[in-house]
Amino acid sequence: MISSRPTISIGLPALNEEGNIAVLLKQILDQKITVGELKEIIIMSDGSSDATVAQASTIADPRIKIFDFKERRGKYVMENLLFTTVTGDVLVILDCDVVFADDKVLNTLVEPIFRDSSIGLVGANVEAASPKTFFESILVASHILKMDIYKQ
């Protein structure tokens, strides 16, 4: 049941995300949310061997909770743990390599759920960054193909 002032939990399954985690956390905290309230950001570090946890810890906000699992369990285990850990009315799960297009992304994403109780799941259109290496070019081509299949 969604409360009168709906709350949003952000779930971040993370594995070796030191390069973007702090940027992403700042972007989440800078979001303009008018349809609800950001209640918590939960990071599930899945056996990260880099400075993911240390970088996430540099962002001081009481809504950020970090779970540092020393052994890798897998992304889907981390997501399942999020389902049982979050306390908000709505859970938004993000990959940690995301860069938001603007400060209204979260509001746009959750608004349909808060507006219409028959909606239980939404997704976002993700745009790949410009590739810098041959391998990244292959990943971008794969992403474009998948998005084309989804649209069809």
Side-chain angles (χ1 to χ4, degrees), residues 17-28:
E17 300 290 352
E18 71 181 0
N20 194 55
I21 191 87
V23 172
L24 177 59
L25 289 171
K26 288 177 191 170
Q27 286 187 323
I28 291 169

Side-chain angles (χ1 to χ4, degrees), residues 90-140:
V90 169
L91 169 61
V92 176
I93 298 177
L94 300 170
D95 286 342
C96 292
D97 59 356
V98 168
V99 177
F100 288 157
D102 58 42
D103 62 1
K104 296 169 189 66
V105 170
L106 289 178
N107 202 70
T108 302
L109 195 59
V110 300
E111 189 273 332
I113 294 172
F114 293 152
R115 179 178 30 90
D116 183 345
S117 63
S118 70
I119 296 174
L121 179 69
V122 298
N125 185 19
V126 179
E127 185 176 312
S130 297
K132 296 180 181 124
T133 66
F134 177 71
F135 182 69
E136 288 177 357
S137 297
I138 293 170
L139 292 175
V140 168

Side-chain angles (χ1 to χ4, degrees), residues 33-112:
I33 302 172
T34 59
V35 297
E37 176 183 345
L38 179 61
K39 182 173 187 178
E40 61 193 357
I41 303 168
I42 298 183
I43 301 163
M44 296 286 187
S45 179
D46 187 19
S48 294
S49 59
D50 67 356
T52 296
V53 172
Q55 287 297 311
S57 298
T58 66
I59 310 301
D61 190 290
R63 295 171 291 183
I64 297 173
K65 300 171 184 132
I66 303 169
F67 293 82
D68 185 12
F69 296 97
K70 300 302 181 192
E71 222 174 90
R72 186 163 183 213
R73 297 176 173 180
K75 181 177 181 179
Y76 298 115
V77 171
M78 295 298 106
E79 289 176 348
N80 283 331
L81 286 170
L82 284 167
F83 295 138
T84 61
T85 304
V86 299
T87 60
D89 295 314
V90 169
L91 169 61
V92 176
I93 298 177
L94 300 170
D95 286 342
C96 292
D97 59 356
V98 168
V99 177
F100 288 157
D102 58 42
D103 62 1
K104 296 169 189 66
V105 170
L106 289 178
N107 202 70
T108 302
L109 195 59
V110 300
E111 189 273 332

